Amino acid sequence: MAGPAVYDAKEARRLDLNAEELGIPIVRLMGNAGKALAKELARHAKRGEGVLVLCGKGNNGGDGFAAAAELQALGRKAWVVLAEPPSRIASLAARTQFERLDKASWAVWKGRPETAWSKVKVI
């Protein structure tokens, strides 16, 4: 039996575009990716344990926002560290996922970790 398929960035982008062409919006793809990642991370961080998600401003960041929001819904302490201010989030889909986060659960990286981050179980 073959293992999971592995795609490079160009192939993954082609799959995203094909899905969108077939009527599956990028925001749903992000949500699905976030759910899958959150499910796996939840296996490593039990209820009440922290997870730190490092996110950029693009659609991969949107996947991270979706995962953090899903973890929060599962009762995990999930913090997001943004590489740039939220005003720089590049796409509507990523912004939609970002807006799902608990308001006090994200911060823009300023060169030093916050105290709460030192207690996380998973980064």
Side-chain angles (χ1 to χ4, degrees), residues 38-56:
K39 183 178 177 181
E40 182 62 26
L41 293 173
R43 292 180 9 159
H44 301 283
K46 304 299 180 219
R47 187 173 290 277
E49 295 179 331
V51 174
L52 187 63
V53 183
L54 309 174
C55 295

Side-chain angles (χ1 to χ4, degrees), residues 5-117:
V6 177
Y7 301 100
D8 66 21
K10 185 177 179 181
E11 292 166 323
R13 178 70 179 137
R14 184 176 300 127
L15 290 171
D16 285 350
L17 291 172
N18 286 341
E20 194 169 30
E21 184 70 25
L22 292 170
I24 302 169
I26 295 297
V27 71
R28 184 184 299 164
L29 293 175
M30 275 183 198
N32 290 346
K35 282 181 185 178
L37 179 56
K39 183 178 177 181
E40 182 62 26
L41 293 173
R43 292 180 9 159
H44 301 283
K46 304 299 180 219
R47 187 173 290 277
E49 295 179 331
V51 174
L52 187 63
V53 183
L54 309 174
C55 295
K57 65 180 183 174
N59 284 351
N60 286 339
D63 295 342
F65 304 148
E70 290 293 329
L71 286 166
Q72 291 168 356
L74 293 171
R76 288 357 183 241
K77 296 176 185 174
W79 288 277
V80 170
V81 179
L82 295 163
E84 298 189 46
S87 62
R88 305 251 320 154
I89 295 172
S91 73
L92 178 59
R95 177 161 298 285
T96 298
Q97 297 300 339
F98 175 76
E99 290 171 356
R100 295 178 54 208
L101 296 170
D102 291 340
K103 302 296 184 227
S105 69
W106 62 269
V108 177
W109 178 252
K110 292 183 173 59
R112 280 180 277 186
E114 293 185 13
T115 305
W117 302 345

